[in-house]
Amino acid sequence: MSKSEKIKALLTRRNLLIGAAGTAGAVVLTAPKSDMSGPRGEYYLNLQNALKTDGVGTPTLIIDVDRLNYNIDTLMSSLPEGMAYRIVAKSLPSQG
């Protein structure tokens, strides 16, 4: 097989597509990660700061009491008269 035949054999459409896909994948994987999520409202910035304060990977429950109370009031106002709804909270003991 001559040198030009070897080059032709290597430059098939399949090999070019595989090479292009591999190159594109490498570019995506090595590109610096940037925050493209857009602007955040003050509410979400406060949540983000609370989570950062507690540390990454620390299980944290954040309850927005004002929103919780608003949602409970909304639920209660939408129930028919005479119908009750019982809010139940359950918890499990944890080490800490």
Side-chain angles (χ1 to χ4, degrees):
M1 186 181 275
S2 71
K3 187 175 183 179
S4 64
E5 289 173 335
K6 288 180 184 178
I7 291 174
K8 235 182 200 181
L10 289 174
L11 294 178
T12 64
R13 181 179 294 171
R14 178 182 292 172
N15 287 342
L16 288 174
L17 288 173
I18 291 171
T23 302
V27 167
V28 168
L29 291 174
T30 59
K33 307 294 185 246
S34 61
D35 185 357
M36 303 288 286
S37 61
R40 293 176 185 83
E42 183 180 348
Y43 175 77
Y44 292 103
L45 289 173
N46 289 336
L47 286 178
Q48 182 179 8
N49 288 334
L51 290 169
K52 282 183 180 178
T53 300
D54 278 345
V56 176
T58 303
T60 304
L61 174 64
I62 298 174
I63 297 176
D64 185 334
V65 177
D66 293 334
R67 283 195 184 203
L68 176 64
N69 289 331
Y70 173 80
N71 290 338
I72 292 170
D73 292 341
T74 302
L75 172 68
M76 296 305 288
S77 69
S78 67
L79 291 175
E81 191 172 325
M83 180 181 249
Y85 186 82
R86 187 175 70 142
I87 304 294
V88 178
K90 295 182 180 182
S91 65
L92 298 172
S94 62
Q95 297 175 352

